[in-house]
Amino acid sequence: MTASILTVDDSVSVRMTTRIALTGAGYKVTEAVDGLDGLNKARATRFDLVVTDLNMPNMDGLRMIEELRRLPNQIGVPILFLTTESDATLKGRAKAAGATGWLVKPFEPDQLIREHRLDDRALVDAVFRALHTLKGSGAMFGFDRLAAFTHHCETAFDRVRKGLAEATPGLVSAVLEARDHMRALVEDPSGDHAAEERYLLERLEAAVSGAAATSVASISETPIKAAASTMPTTWRIKFSLPENSFVNGTNPLSFLDELRAMGECRVLLDKSALPPLEKLEPTALYFHWEVTLTTDRGRADIEDVFLFVMDDMTLEIAALSSDTPSVEVVPSVTENADMPTPVVTVAPLPEPSAPEAATRPVTDAADPKLRRKAESVRVPAERLDELMDRVGELVIVQSRLQQIAANSADIGLRTVSEEMERLCSELRVTMMVLRMVPVATLFDRYRRLVHDLQRDTGKKIELSTDGESTEMDKTVIERLADPLVHLVRNAADHGLEDGDARRASGKPEAGSIRLSARQTGGEVIISVTDDGRGIDRARVRAKAEAAGLIQPGATIADQDLLQLIFQPGFSTASSVTNLSGRGVGMDVVKKAIESLHGSIDLTSRPGEGSTVSLRIPLTLAIIDGLLVRVGEGHYVIPLPAVEECIEISQEEDLRSRGRAFLSLRDTLVPFIRLRELFATGTKPDLYQKMVVVSTGEERVGLIVDQIIGHHQTVIKSMSKLHDDVTTFSGATILGDGSVALILDVGNLVSLGQEQEAQLRAIA
Amino acid sequence: METSTVIRMHPNLCVSDAHASYSIISESIRGFSSIKLSIPHDATVDLSFLQIIEAARLRANEQGKSLSLLEPASGELRRVLDRSGLMTAATISDRSFWLHEETTQ
Amino acid sequence: MSDLALKTKAVHDTTAEKIEVLTFEIGGETFALEAAIVREILDLMPEAIVPGSRPFVNAVINFRGKVIPLADIRVAMGMPMTATTIDSRIVVVELDLDGTPSLVGLRADRVNEVTSLSKAGGEPPPRVGLKWPPQFIECLIHREGTFVIFPDLEAIFASKGHTRQQA
């Protein structure tokens, strides 16, 4: 039976968007253009959900909700309203009128679906990815048994992912149990788990082949959310909802589902308030609940579940495992000499189960084994990320303030704005420093991997590293970990020859893999070099032709041929091994690097070996820029590249017509009139400005109409559709919500050089 | 007077039709000493129905009547049972009523 | 969103089935897109021109904090440019571009309705006598005395062969 939904809004854009999202999710949608229309449609048909705007002609949303609640055929229908305001009085009034909940505009249509639908593909994909990473990390650190077990789980999940089996609740609970088992394996890798493993795998098998299909799908969120690394607290939550809850469309089950999604949860229904049958009012709610929840979320998150009904209900929340410290001290397992890095990388593992958490001391500082590094406060990485997001938002707001202040005569406002700008800039620098981590933390992880690879491949491998003190943003380092695993494996698996072949070609028996890092300008270059056989072009070509990536016999430049390795669907591994894994090839490496705004260079000499170089920007999030105007468009020039700004007088401007150089303190600097390059079709400003930018050795002048000022920029990447436009490296959103493009200085400089060369050739 | 009956419930066991479900069930308890409820597999069920059934079970008990499900709870009914937490602290008779689980102890 | 692409293909195969589509107008012609790929319909908003880009995707907009490209099907179809009106909208769709799910805004003169259509009644574009490039059209459907055009977005976005604007 398809659920049918009434959407009431006077904006055709909102109506159609809602309609498309909901019909796409399999719902039947009826549209109404205002309150009166909505009410008439509700008189005629019973709906399962009503979504309505508040401000509408003819009859507004509040009136409509009131009227709708009186319709006998709509008893208990949930009514959500869309609002642009977070205005509490409005919410209060809508609630009084009988609304069930609200969505803040502009809302994500997905949100609506998420709240009314349990089956979720993305969730399945996320679980699969988590399993895959866990497997890699497991093998990496010698938890062979864990790797093997995870491999089996993954096989099961792979079928779900490919749509061969359904993500039934039965499967989800089997995975949850498997997850607990994996944790046991990490804690006690040497113990005997064979019997339990067999049982769990059987359960998984059964679940995948679609045997069981009951209980709740929404608990499937747990394995992902559980990746959070804070200490869980156990809460007792008692709640009772008003008797008219059903009539107002509140569904207590959805609250329970939300609580379940937050962690380990035991839901106890209290039916003691149920009246005798003859006194029972069938549409009233009598049940109460007591929930025991172990979660890493705070009290506020739990309260949020009940946000909309909070005023009318009774809610008691008590912490059972007490004294959560205000600054949580997470055990620094990383720096514990007995257990190097592993446990941290195995982060997708869940929090401890409820009984254990309840008895376990919340601060591990009490544990002498973990005490050593207690001087520094450790903050969970995700909080650092949250802070970074906030700083990013602050930077945007600050630039808005700066714009307002610049157009204002209010000296006080301007002073505050300048002060704010300084603080923001300092905060950003502090934030960056906080997040910088030496690359050594990354490289160290691969010693064990190489050790195991020697055993698995039977090849002798020497790992050397240099540039470990190079620092990079923590998030960037984390996101490099998996791609580098692939690259190192690939070098060992396919790059290096075996001992005999090496001796035959006069090489030392042990193959060499070198990891190096160095910083140049705003980039860090990380390379993986092997001294193996080099890439076999003929084989690459044959594979690419077989996979349909290139036409048979097509002429293709060497570099382009090598880059084919990174195409999806190209995998040089002819068999699926524990090393290369299933369906995760070099294309994944490429995607990961591109998502970091980085690029991959590949060089390879037959018989001598290969080098894969990853060029990664130092930081992801924010750059300092100079905001300029050219014609009617705004552009950002990355500040580290800017040498100076010069005003060009009209005479100079005229004199420079038809030439490509300006003389700047006895040297000639090539310049580009951006107005011409961008074909703005506007008249030049009276006083043109030249911004001199450089990439180390080469300089070029960029002529702009106006220099607006210093601007801290949150970088957004450009779409693939603009791959052919090399002038810009990204985009950013300005304080007023408009978009400015970020100039790619490297490309503009080479453009300037070309232009110079052409003019020289003519002369 | 007939003392045993099977009641076939309609497939909408939600609050919107709660009045109807309520009157069918209370009427049958009044009129019969043994009532079996047949619940469609594809019925849509919410908490209001659980409340009616739980209240009806109490009444039947007090009056020494027998109320049972023709088949163990399945489909949405089973899901709502699990989601609601009603089965968390279920007694033997609860489990026997909803799930037809028989105990050998 | 590669699975979305798969889903879309599956629908194409079973042409008898009715599918939900969004119909909209460009240059007086009615176009239709599968509703499944439509993410949102927007009123016009400030756009930033991308100098040096193909006229087909000549601008970007701020869509919920993301910078997304704005494409104009009329350029691909070789239709004349027209001024925007109060009915002009941007249809945000999710497409698979080189294996990456990407959001793209499409310019429309107006959006009409969401409706179900069966592609069974559709015909492949005639090879001759059509004013639009046939490789960009998946099929045409007769409806209420007029044609509804199903553009082949995959082909349109894959073709980079369009005359590039010289800087």
Side-chain angles (χ1 to χ4, degrees), chain A residues 475-488:
Chain A
T475 321
V476 177
I477 285 204
E478 275 161 16
R479 287 166 63 179
L480 280 175
D482 283 347
L484 277 177
V485 169
H486 281 292
L487 292 176
V488 171

Side-chain angles (χ1 to χ4, degrees), chain A residues 515-538:
Chain A
L515 287 171
S516 67
R518 68 195 164 92
Q519 186 184 339
T520 63
E523 283 184 334
V524 169
I525 300 176
I526 292 185
S527 32
V528 180
T529 306
D530 67 69
D531 67 344
R533 58 173 76 97
I535 292 171
D536 182 347
R537 267 76 169 175

Side-chain angles (χ1 to χ4, degrees), chain A residues 257 267 277-278 284 286 289, chain B residues 22 51 54 59 83-84 88:
Chain A
D257 290 346
V267 175
L277 190 60
E278 67 276 7
Y286 301 102
W289 281 272
Chain B
Y22 173 80
Q51 290 191 147
E54 285 293 327
R59 168 53 30 97
R83 285 170 79 195
S84 68
T88 308

